[in-house]
Amino acid sequence: MDSYEWIAEAAAEERDAIARALAEDLAEASGRGGRGFVRAERPSDLARALGRDRHAQAARRTSRAAFSAS
């Protein structure tokens, strides 16, 4: 499926069931310690877990790589 329009068109009870199923799937996947999951209750927790200066670090790595290649 390339669209989620069917969810918007579903009845309220069906949308609730879809949301619960998705939440259960995500909880199960995160409980297994799956890659790509970060435990965070607030956006600030997520920023801390990912590193606030990720963009600056990436820019420094890119500039170092370009410098060492020349």
Side-chain angles (χ1 to χ4, degrees), residues 6-46:
W6 61 275
I7 295 174
E9 294 171 357
E13 298 85 24
E14 292 173 329
R15 286 193 307 267
D16 290 344
I18 293 167
R20 281 192 303 275
L22 178 60
E24 289 172 6
D25 289 348
L26 290 173
E28 179 185 332
S30 67
R32 291 188 302 229
R35 288 184 56 140
F37 288 98
V38 175
R39 293 197 183 277
E41 293 181 10
R42 296 179 302 274
S44 59
D45 296 337
L46 181 60

Side-chain angles (χ1 to χ4, degrees), residues 60-70:
R60 283 194 299 268
R61 280 194 300 267
T62 303
S63 64
R64 270 188 269 159
F67 180 73
S68 60
S70 12

